[in-house]
Amino acid sequence: MLKSILLLFLTFLAVPATAQEVYRFGDDVYMAGDNVTLTGEGVDDVFVAGNTVVVSAPVGGSAHAGGRSVSISAPVGQNLYAAGMNVNVAGSIGGDAQLIGDTVLVGEAVQGDLRVAAQRVEVNGAVGDSALIGAENILLTTQIAGDASFATDNITFGEGARIDGTLFLYSEDPDDIIVPASVISADRIERHSIDEFDARADANGGATLDRSRYGWGSWLVGKISSILILTAMATALAALAPVFLMALRSRTLETPVRALWMGFLSISALAGSLFLFAMTGIGLLLVPASIVLAVLLGIAGYVIGTYILGVGVLGVANRPLPETLAERAIAALVGAVAISVLALIPYIGWIATLAVAVTGAGALIIRWFAPGFHTEVR
């Protein structure tokens, strides 16, 4: 499977890049290039990537756009996801809008939620639900029908600005921000320190960090749960393929540096290939597969590396190699506990954890493909 993907990858490298590549699948459109413009009749979903991106054809479904400069000048029926240095939304959005950039301009109505992360944001189109915005400078000149969560130190309100829900302000000095009564009454304003802002929160009901969720009790429960899940995955793998896993363990212990190196190369190649796929235009369809394969290889390496680590720890304790299912489960549990403890070490814990996962992935690649540099494969 992987060999076929690598061959396909090399084939796409030979395809010359053009100014704009377009691929249509049903009513969906995939576009990539330097200067990319979608015009003409309406489409369902659109996926666009380029240096300069312009969407001026109506989109009935959702729009996904990324580039240095992104302009949405036609209506989008459902959700909009856009990222770029400059993002300009000049068409109405029927659902939610999630925007990331240096400068983000919203000039038309967003029927659902608006979520923005930028350096400068201007909201000149009405928001039908709630808004969650984190930016250094915010300008609001229109209505927000729901709640508004603003993380900023500088905010300006135009004459038509109005917030119908609750305003949650997050700032270094929240009390210094002046909000006119014409925008919202003082009793519907909640002021918080910027440290309390949680960008992952639901746009409705404020974005205040819920610290009660991060207490010792919840941390311990989460840690134990992750250990048990990892143990179950490693045990299942050892039960389904004991001989295969034993061979991986032996090969890894023989050449741990080689396994680490091959794992690093394999995951890097899969993750990095998405940029080259996108450059070919039609190869944009393979980007999800590239991401999925990289994630799956990383997860498999993490589980394999955990089991190998557990067997190694038991070996240091003069315990025999696991042969029964119960012994393999104990090895998996020891490995899961060991890698969890490693992850807690300040500064170097995450490096050790990553090394275990990458080494496990490398052992898998070596076992399947036996790659080598100036070596003879037997």
Side-chain angles (χ1 to χ4, degrees):
M1 174 66 177
L2 186 55
K3 289 182 178 179
S4 300
I5 293 175
L6 291 176
L7 179 60
L8 187 60
F9 169 71
L10 293 175
T11 302
F12 276 118
L13 288 182
V15 178
T18 61
Q20 178 170 305
E21 294 286 346
V22 182
Y23 181 79
R24 292 180 179 268
F25 185 79
D27 293 329
D28 297 339
V29 174
Y30 302 80
M31 304 179 67
D34 184 13
N35 300 307
V36 183
T37 301
L38 175 65
T39 60
E41 299 180 355
V43 298
D44 188 10
D45 296 331
V46 62
F47 303 82
V48 190
N51 178 39
T52 300
V53 173
V54 177
V55 177
S56 57
V59 178
S62 296
H64 310 74
R68 182 184 60 81
S69 176
V70 176
S71 177
I72 311 297
S73 58
V76 176
Q78 297 182 14
N79 300 328
L80 169 64
Y81 307 89
M85 284 293 295
N86 299 296
V87 178
N88 182 17
V89 181
S92 61
I93 310 300
D96 300 336
Q98 300 193 31
L99 314 173
I100 300 175
D102 178 73
T103 299
V104 174
L105 307 177
V106 181
E108 289 294 333
V110 176
Q111 298 299 323
D113 294 328
L114 173 65
R115 187 185 295 265
V116 184
Q119 192 276 335
R120 182 172 72 92
V121 177
E122 292 187 12
V123 182
N124 301 311
V127 179
D129 204 333
S130 298
L132 190 155
I133 301 175
E136 185 174 336
N137 299 281
I138 299 176
L139 170 63
L140 176 66
T141 64
T142 187
Q143 174 191 9
I144 297 177
D147 297 334
S149 295
F150 294 154
T152 184
D153 288 327
N154 301 289
I155 184 169
T156 303
F157 298 96
E159 293 183 0
R162 190 173 80 248
I163 299 173
D164 294 341
T166 301
L167 172 60
F168 300 86
L169 281 176
Y170 302 86
S171 177
E172 294 288 348
D173 297 304
D175 293 331
D176 291 343
I177 297 179
I178 299 175
V179 182
S182 59
V183 176
I184 186 173
S185 59
D187 61 319
R188 289 190 287 118
I189 301 177
E190 295 188 16
R191 301 174 185 267
H192 303 272
S193 168
I194 192 65
D195 296 333
E196 298 182 54
F197 180 69
D198 185 4
R200 301 165 299 176
D202 190 330
N204 295 283
T208 304
L209 183 65
D210 184 5
R211 300 188 184 277
S212 64
R213 297 170 50 192
Y214 303 96
W216 279 102
S218 60
W219 177 87
L220 184 60
V221 171
K223 186 62 65 176
I224 292 175
S225 299
S226 64
I227 290 174
L228 293 178
I229 292 173
L230 184 55
T231 299
M233 294 174 66
T235 301
L237 181 60
L240 293 173
V243 177
F244 182 76
L245 200 55
M246 182 174 63
L248 289 181
R249 183 191 67 241
S250 301
R251 182 62 63 89
T252 303
L253 295 179
E254 288 175 3
T255 56
V257 176
R258 184 187 180 208
L260 177 63
W261 177 240
M262 290 308 305
F264 174 78
L265 285 180
S266 301
I267 295 177
S268 298
L270 285 172
S273 64
L274 63 93
F275 298 103
L276 293 175
F277 283 152
M279 289 174 61
T280 66
I282 192 173
L284 197 64
L285 290 173
L286 295 177
V287 168
S290 178
I291 296 173
V292 169
L293 286 174
V295 171
L296 289 178
L297 181 58
I299 294 174
Y302 187 63
V303 175
I304 292 170
T306 297
Y307 183 79
I308 294 174
L309 178 62
V311 174
V313 172
L314 290 177
V316 172
N318 295 321
R319 294 291 299 271
L321 293 177
E323 296 182 357
T324 66
L325 180 59
E327 291 174 343
R328 296 186 182 107
I330 292 174
L333 177 60
V334 170
V337 172
I339 200 170
S340 297
V341 172
L342 278 176
L344 296 176
I345 301 176
Y347 303 112
I348 64 172
W350 70 272
I351 299 177
T353 303
L354 181 62
V356 170
V358 171
T359 301
L364 186 61
I365 294 298
I366 292 173
R367 178 63 179 173
W368 275 349
F369 302 102
F373 299 97
H374 306 291
T375 61
E376 180 180 354
V377 179
R378 298 178 180 177

